[in-house]
């Protein structure tokens, strides 16, 4: 396993950057230009006070896009992966919180969002599980990038190898 | 540490702050863009009310006994109870699909329609509910109600439903009496708004829009609101 990793790490890092970066850019891009929807999607979680939820709804898509871009072109990968990982932890926590409180909402992850008809409860709960799994996967990718930030096709060149960090 | 290594480390530090600065700049610009674009969009929605003309006034009474609805056209063979929150986006969909039909039923005196104005979506729902009830006093509930859903912004509690904007809606559709504007500004109906909100539990209403036809809950089969489905439910009574 270790040998496998040291052999392919640079490619794995690159693929990880592409996956995490592209997901973030897609998620951000789909929300950034429908700000009202994004803001009400965040408000639907009923976690933050309203005005704050709106500001987060406005800011989040842009943050996602900026971080995604950094990951893909390969600048400050470590910092970007910390932020991306943090975002995932928050998303996972938010969905768990919504699930635990019995709210039925569309996560608004890739646009849309808001309350959902109670008749679709079962489907919504299934969706929550899928979303949590997806975000956990992305969190793992972010962790990998934190420990092995240096890979191929990156603007940022390392002075040293990953092992020495 | 060699001189060169130090220089590299210093460079990294600079790069990091530069990157953080850029990210912050992007986010701040994005937020400003978003705030401006969504508030402009909400205000532009008033344009949709241009050329609106008020319909015939329909007297509205307050039915205080069984849960304080706003009753339009009492005594008709069919009675429809409609529970809505002014900010609820699905209520807007409902209004778009069946609103004209409901209005027709009232004006043609074919049905008694009782509106229960709910306000559980926050402070702006309460303000809007108050304004709706003020319009009922002027016998223009149908018009104000319609106009309100036409311009409903996508974002709840965004500051759009201020008393000033509620009065502006009235202004656009021709509901300008001093009694109306005073009623909106002073929050004259806030007690009644609360009574409507409290009556939810009496009728076991948990969401909006909820519709009762002759006292029976209307359970739609279509995913959205289908006018034909609604019409046949009403005609079946």
């Amino acid at each position: 396993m270790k040998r496998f990793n040291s052999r392919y790490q640079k490619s794995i890092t690159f693929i990880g950057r592409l996956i995490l970066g592209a997901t973030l850019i897609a998620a951000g891009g789909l929300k950034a230009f429908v700000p009202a929807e994004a803001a009400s999607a965040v408000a639907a979680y009923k976690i933050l006070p309203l005005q704050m939820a709106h500001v987060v709804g406005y800011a989040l898509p842009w943050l996602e896009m900026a971080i995604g871009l950094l990951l893909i072109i390969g600048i400050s990968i470590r910092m970007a992966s910390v932020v991306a990982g943090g975002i995932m932890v928050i998303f996972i926590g938010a969905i768990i919180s919504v699930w635990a409180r019995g709210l039925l909402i569309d996560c608004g992850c890739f646009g849309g969002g808001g309350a959902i008809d109670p008749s679709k409860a079962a489907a919504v709960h299934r969706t929550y599980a899928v979303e949590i799994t997806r975000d956990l996967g992305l969190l793992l990718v972010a962790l990998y990038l934190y420990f092995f930030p240096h890979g191929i096709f990156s603007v940022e060149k390392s002075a040293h190898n990953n092992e020495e960090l | 540490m060699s001189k060169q290594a130090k220089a590299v480390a210093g460079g990294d530090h600079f790069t990091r702050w530069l990157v953080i600065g850029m990210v912050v700049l992007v986010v701040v610009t994005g937020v400003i863009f978003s705030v401006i674009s969504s508030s402009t969009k909400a205000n532009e929605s008033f344009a949709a009310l241009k050329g609106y003309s008020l319909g015939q006034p329909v007297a509205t009474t307050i039915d205080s006994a069984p849960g304080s609805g706003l009753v339009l056209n009492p005594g008709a063979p069919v009675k429809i109870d409609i529970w809505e929150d002014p900010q609820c986006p699905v209520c807007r969909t409902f209004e778009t699909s069946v609103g004209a039909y409901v209005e027709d039923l009232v004006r043609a005196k074919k049905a008694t329609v009782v509106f229960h104005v709910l306000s559980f979506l926050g402070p702006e729902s309460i303000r809007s509910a108050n304004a709706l009830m003020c319009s009922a006093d002027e016998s223009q509930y149908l018009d104000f109600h319609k106009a309100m859903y036409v311009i409903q912004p996508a974002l709840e509690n965004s500051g759009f439903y201020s008393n000033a904007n509620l009065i502006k809606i009235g202004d656009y559709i021709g509901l300008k009496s001093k009694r109306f504007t005073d009623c909106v500004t002073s929050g004259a109906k806030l007690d009644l708004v609360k009574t409507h909100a409290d009556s939810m539990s009496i009728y076991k209403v948990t969401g909006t829009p909820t519709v009762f036809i002759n006292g029976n809950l209307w359970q739609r089969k279509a995913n959205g609101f289908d006018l034909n489905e609604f019409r046949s439910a009403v005609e079946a009574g």
Side-chain angles (χ1 to χ4, degrees):
Chain A
M1 186 68 193
K2 210 164 185 185
R3 265 184 67 191
F4 175 83
N5 190 43
S6 62
R7 190 154 170 199
Y8 296 109
Q9 178 268 315
K10 283 183 188 301
S11 308
I12 300 176
T13 294
F14 174 63
I15 294 168
R17 274 167 41 208
L18 283 188
I19 294 174
L20 190 56
T23 311
L24 285 171
I25 290 179
L30 288 169
K31 288 178 293 198
F33 300 100
V34 282
E37 256 184 48
S40 53
V42 176
Y45 283 80
K46 295 188 179 147
I47 293 173
L48 296 169
L50 247 155
Q51 301 304 325
M52 229 158 96
H54 290 169
V55 174
V56 171
Y58 290 143
L60 192 63
W62 300 95
L63 181 66
E64 286 174 322
M65 286 201 290
I67 297 298
L69 198 64
L70 288 180
L71 285 171
I72 285 190
I73 60 180
I75 295 175
S76 297
I77 294 171
R78 242 182 163 176
M79 192 176 70
S81 64
V82 169
V83 177
I87 293 179
M88 291 308 151
V89 170
I90 294 171
F91 287 171
I92 294 168
I95 295 173
I96 292 177
S97 144
V98 164
W99 198 346
R101 283 177 294 154
L103 298 179
L104 295 177
I105 64 168
D106 173 337
C107 74
C109 308
F110 296 90
I116 291 181
D117 205 298
S119 65
K120 297 187 186 103
V124 174
H125 288 153
R126 212 163 28 243
T127 317
Y128 287 162
V130 171
E131 280 154 4
I132 292 173
T133 316
R134 182 197 60 210
D135 291 350
L136 273 176
L138 292 171
L139 175 61
L140 286 180
V141 175
L143 279 175
Y144 187 88
L145 292 179
Y146 177 78
F147 289 109
F148 305 102
H150 301 296
I152 50 176
F153 303 121
S154 166
V155 170
E156 185 178 64
K157 298 289 178 220
S158 78
H160 14 244
N161 292 323
N162 289 310
E163 288 78 9
E164 291 164 15
L165 279 172
Chain B
M1 212 189 253
S2 73
K3 233 179 186 174
Q4 210 176 359
K6 252 187 198 159
V8 169
D12 277 346
H13 218 68
F14 175 73
T15 313
R16 176 186 292 179
W17 285 108
L18 185 68
V19 169
I20 293 177
M22 295 290 258
V23 169
V24 170
L25 189 71
V26 167
V27 172
V28 169
T29 317
V31 169
I32 294 172
F33 161 80
S34 303
V35 170
I36 292 175
S37 85
S38 57
S39 78
T40 322
K41 214 170 165 188
N43 285 322
E44 273 171 1
S45 63
F46 278 109
L49 297 178
K50 279 212 177 104
Y52 193 101
S53 59
L54 279 181
Q56 283 298 312
V58 178
T60 309
T61 50
I62 296 164
D63 170 23
S64 55
S68 293
L70 302 177
V71 186
L72 285 84
N73 192 27
V78 187
K79 178 166 167 263
I80 306 173
D81 282 82
I82 299 177
W83 303 71
E84 293 173 318
D85 184 302
Q87 288 195 93
C88 134
V90 192
C91 301
R92 183 181 196 220
T93 319
F94 177 73
E95 167 70 19
T96 314
S97 316
V98 310
Y101 173 63
V102 171
E103 183 176 349
D104 215 44
L105 286 176
V106 172
R107 295 202 187 279
K109 299 202 181 301
K110 283 184 191 148
T112 302
V113 178
V114 184
F115 285 99
H116 302 259
V117 190
L118 301 180
S119 47
F120 55 83
L121 290 174
E124 294 192 27
S125 285
I126 296 176
R127 258 202 300 269
S128 315
N130 177 66
L132 273 166
M133 290 170 181
C134 297
S135 75
D137 269 1
E138 309 302 307
S139 301
Q140 300 293 356
Y141 181 88
L142 285 176
D143 287 294
F144 194 74
H145 170 261
K146 194 199 296 174
M148 197 140 172
Y149 281 118
V150 166
I151 65 161
Q152 185 193 66
L155 185 54
E156 292 158 17
N157 297 303
S158 60
F160 181 72
Y161 286 125
S162 59
N163 284 340
N165 271 356
L166 288 164
I167 289 172
K168 200 167 153 190
I169 298 175
D171 215 44
Y172 266 81
I173 65 171
L175 180 53
K176 308 178 187 190
S177 74
K178 185 165 181 330
R179 194 168 68 158
F180 173 73
T181 55
D182 284 350
C183 173
V184 173
T185 322
S186 67
K189 300 287 180 186
L190 288 178
D191 286 341
L192 185 60
V193 171
K194 189 165 181 317
T195 319
H196 276 218
D198 291 344
S199 71
M200 278 177 87
S201 57
I202 303 174
Y203 289 87
K204 299 190 172 56
V205 171
T206 53
T208 50
T210 296
V211 179
F212 291 93
I213 299 169
N214 283 335
N216 300 316
L217 180 66
W218 176 53
Q219 284 165 309
R220 65 193 149 98
K221 295 190 179 60
N223 220 348
F225 297 101
D226 181 57
L227 177 58
N228 289 326
E229 189 190 350
F230 184 71
R231 185 187 286 135
S232 40
V234 170
E235 280 165 5

PDB file of all heavy atoms in Angstrom, chain B residues 6-18:
ATOM      1  N   LYS B   6      16.008  30.810   2.922  1.00  0.00           N
ATOM      2  CA  LYS B   6      15.248  31.855   3.613  1.00  0.00           C
ATOM      3  C   LYS B   6      14.390  32.631   2.620  1.00  0.00           C
ATOM      4  O   LYS B   6      13.226  32.926   2.864  1.00  0.00           O
ATOM      5  CB  LYS B   6      16.218  32.813   4.318  1.00  0.00           C
ATOM      6  CG  LYS B   6      16.195  32.642   5.829  1.00  0.00           C
ATOM      7  CD  LYS B   6      17.045  33.735   6.445  1.00  0.00           C
ATOM      8  CE  LYS B   6      17.428  33.363   7.870  1.00  0.00           C
ATOM      9  NZ  LYS B   6      18.610  34.111   8.319  1.00  0.00           N
ATOM     10  N   ALA B   7      15.022  32.981   1.514  1.00  0.00           N
ATOM     11  CA  ALA B   7      14.302  33.756   0.503  1.00  0.00           C
ATOM     12  C   ALA B   7      13.087  32.972   0.002  1.00  0.00           C
ATOM     13  O   ALA B   7      12.005  33.525  -0.152  1.00  0.00           O
ATOM     14  CB  ALA B   7      15.229  34.085  -0.668  1.00  0.00           C
ATOM     15  N   VAL B   8      13.270  31.674  -0.184  1.00  0.00           N
ATOM     16  CA  VAL B   8      12.159  30.848  -0.656  1.00  0.00           C
ATOM     17  C   VAL B   8      11.029  30.831   0.373  1.00  0.00           C
ATOM     18  O   VAL B   8       9.867  31.011   0.051  1.00  0.00           O
ATOM     19  CB  VAL B   8      12.647  29.406  -0.955  1.00  0.00           C
ATOM     20  CG1 VAL B   8      11.446  28.487  -1.187  1.00  0.00           C
ATOM     21  CG2 VAL B   8      13.555  29.419  -2.171  1.00  0.00           C
ATOM     22  N   ALA B   9      11.446  30.666   1.661  1.00  0.00           N
ATOM     23  CA  ALA B   9      10.445  30.634   2.715  1.00  0.00           C
ATOM     24  C   ALA B   9       9.666  31.948   2.762  1.00  0.00           C
ATOM     25  O   ALA B   9       8.442  31.969   2.863  1.00  0.00           O
ATOM     26  CB  ALA B   9      11.102  30.367   4.060  1.00  0.00           C
ATOM     27  N   GLY B  10      10.398  33.061   2.647  1.00  0.00           N
ATOM     28  CA  GLY B  10       9.740  34.380   2.649  1.00  0.00           C
ATOM     29  C   GLY B  10       8.787  34.492   1.481  1.00  0.00           C
ATOM     30  O   GLY B  10       7.677  34.990   1.609  1.00  0.00           O
ATOM     31  N   GLY B  11       9.220  33.979   0.349  1.00  0.00           N
ATOM     32  CA  GLY B  11       8.382  34.015  -0.843  1.00  0.00           C
ATOM     33  C   GLY B  11       7.097  33.237  -0.633  1.00  0.00           C
ATOM     34  O   GLY B  11       6.027  33.700  -0.975  1.00  0.00           O
ATOM     35  N   ASP B  12       7.203  32.083   0.005  1.00  0.00           N
ATOM     36  CA  ASP B  12       6.024  31.258   0.276  1.00  0.00           C
ATOM     37  C   ASP B  12       5.025  32.001   1.144  1.00  0.00           C
ATOM     38  O   ASP B  12       3.828  31.947   0.925  1.00  0.00           O
ATOM     39  CB  ASP B  12       6.439  29.971   0.989  1.00  0.00           C
ATOM     40  CG  ASP B  12       6.907  28.932  -0.009  1.00  0.00           C
ATOM     41  OD1 ASP B  12       6.648  29.140  -1.223  1.00  0.00           O
ATOM     42  OD2 ASP B  12       7.536  27.963   0.403  1.00  0.00           O
ATOM     43  N   HIS B  13       5.553  32.680   2.130  1.00  0.00           N
ATOM     44  CA  HIS B  13       4.727  33.447   3.036  1.00  0.00           C
ATOM     45  C   HIS B  13       3.936  34.497   2.281  1.00  0.00           C
ATOM     46  O   HIS B  13       2.740  34.658   2.466  1.00  0.00           O
ATOM     47  CB  HIS B  13       5.647  34.126   4.054  1.00  0.00           C
ATOM     48  CG  HIS B  13       5.060  34.159   5.404  1.00  0.00           C
ATOM     49  ND1 HIS B  13       4.862  33.043   6.162  1.00  0.00           N
ATOM     50  CD2 HIS B  13       4.581  35.204   6.132  1.00  0.00           C
ATOM     51  CE1 HIS B  13       4.304  33.379   7.303  1.00  0.00           C
ATOM     52  NE2 HIS B  13       4.121  34.677   7.314  1.00  0.00           N
ATOM     53  N   PHE B  14       4.652  35.189   1.405  1.00  0.00           N
ATOM     54  CA  PHE B  14       4.026  36.236   0.606  1.00  0.00           C
ATOM     55  C   PHE B  14       2.935  35.633  -0.275  1.00  0.00           C
ATOM     56  O   PHE B  14       1.824  36.145  -0.341  1.00  0.00           O
ATOM     57  CB  PHE B  14       5.097  36.936  -0.241  1.00  0.00           C
ATOM     58  CG  PHE B  14       4.518  37.941  -1.185  1.00  0.00           C
ATOM     59  CD1 PHE B  14       4.032  39.152  -0.703  1.00  0.00           C
ATOM     60  CD2 PHE B  14       4.437  37.675  -2.550  1.00  0.00           C
ATOM     61  CE1 PHE B  14       3.486  40.077  -1.562  1.00  0.00           C
ATOM     62  CE2 PHE B  14       3.885  38.600  -3.417  1.00  0.00           C
ATOM     63  CZ  PHE B  14       3.412  39.804  -2.921  1.00  0.00           C
ATOM     64  N   THR B  15       3.280  34.517  -0.918  1.00  0.00           N
ATOM     65  CA  THR B  15       2.306  33.875  -1.799  1.00  0.00           C
ATOM     66  C   THR B  15       1.046  33.508  -1.035  1.00  0.00           C
ATOM     67  O   THR B  15      -0.065  33.717  -1.495  1.00  0.00           O
ATOM     68  CB  THR B  15       2.896  32.575  -2.406  1.00  0.00           C
ATOM     69  OG1 THR B  15       4.183  32.873  -2.884  1.00  0.00           O
ATOM     70  CG2 THR B  15       2.013  32.050  -3.509  1.00  0.00           C
ATOM     71  N   ARG B  16       1.252  32.941   0.164  1.00  0.00           N
ATOM     72  CA  ARG B  16       0.087  32.517   0.938  1.00  0.00           C
ATOM     73  C   ARG B  16      -0.847  33.687   1.212  1.00  0.00           C
ATOM     74  O   ARG B  16      -2.058  33.598   0.994  1.00  0.00           O
ATOM     75  CB  ARG B  16       0.541  31.906   2.259  1.00  0.00           C
ATOM     76  CG  ARG B  16      -0.664  31.563   3.116  1.00  0.00           C
ATOM     77  CD  ARG B  16      -0.285  31.096   4.466  1.00  0.00           C
ATOM     78  NE  ARG B  16       0.379  29.804   4.424  1.00  0.00           N
ATOM     79  CZ  ARG B  16       0.837  29.193   5.520  1.00  0.00           C
ATOM     80  NH1 ARG B  16       0.718  29.768   6.689  1.00  0.00           N
ATOM     81  NH2 ARG B  16       1.417  28.032   5.427  1.00  0.00           N
ATOM     82  N   TRP B  17      -0.283  34.806   1.672  1.00  0.00           N
ATOM     83  CA  TRP B  17      -1.138  35.960   1.963  1.00  0.00           C
ATOM     84  C   TRP B  17      -1.771  36.526   0.708  1.00  0.00           C
ATOM     85  O   TRP B  17      -2.910  36.996   0.724  1.00  0.00           O
ATOM     86  CB  TRP B  17      -0.361  37.038   2.725  1.00  0.00           C
ATOM     87  CG  TRP B  17      -0.184  36.615   4.148  1.00  0.00           C
ATOM     88  CD1 TRP B  17       0.969  36.203   4.747  1.00  0.00           C
ATOM     89  CD2 TRP B  17      -1.209  36.482   5.136  1.00  0.00           C
ATOM     90  NE1 TRP B  17       0.733  35.829   6.051  1.00  0.00           N
ATOM     91  CE2 TRP B  17      -0.598  35.994   6.313  1.00  0.00           C
ATOM     92  CE3 TRP B  17      -2.588  36.724   5.145  1.00  0.00           C
ATOM     93  CZ2 TRP B  17      -1.311  35.749   7.485  1.00  0.00           C
ATOM     94  CZ3 TRP B  17      -3.294  36.479   6.305  1.00  0.00           C
ATOM     95  CH2 TRP B  17      -2.655  35.992   7.458  1.00  0.00           C
ATOM     96  N   LEU B  18      -1.005  36.476  -0.366  1.00  0.00           N
ATOM     97  CA  LEU B  18      -1.552  36.950  -1.639  1.00  0.00           C
ATOM     98  C   LEU B  18      -2.774  36.111  -2.015  1.00  0.00           C
ATOM     99  O   LEU B  18      -3.828  36.628  -2.394  1.00  0.00           O
ATOM    100  CB  LEU B  18      -0.476  36.840  -2.734  1.00  0.00           C
ATOM    101  CG  LEU B  18      -0.875  37.415  -4.091  1.00  0.00           C
ATOM    102  CD1 LEU B  18      -1.013  38.928  -3.994  1.00  0.00           C
ATOM    103  CD2 LEU B  18       0.152  37.049  -5.154  1.00  0.00           C
TER     104      LEU B  18
END
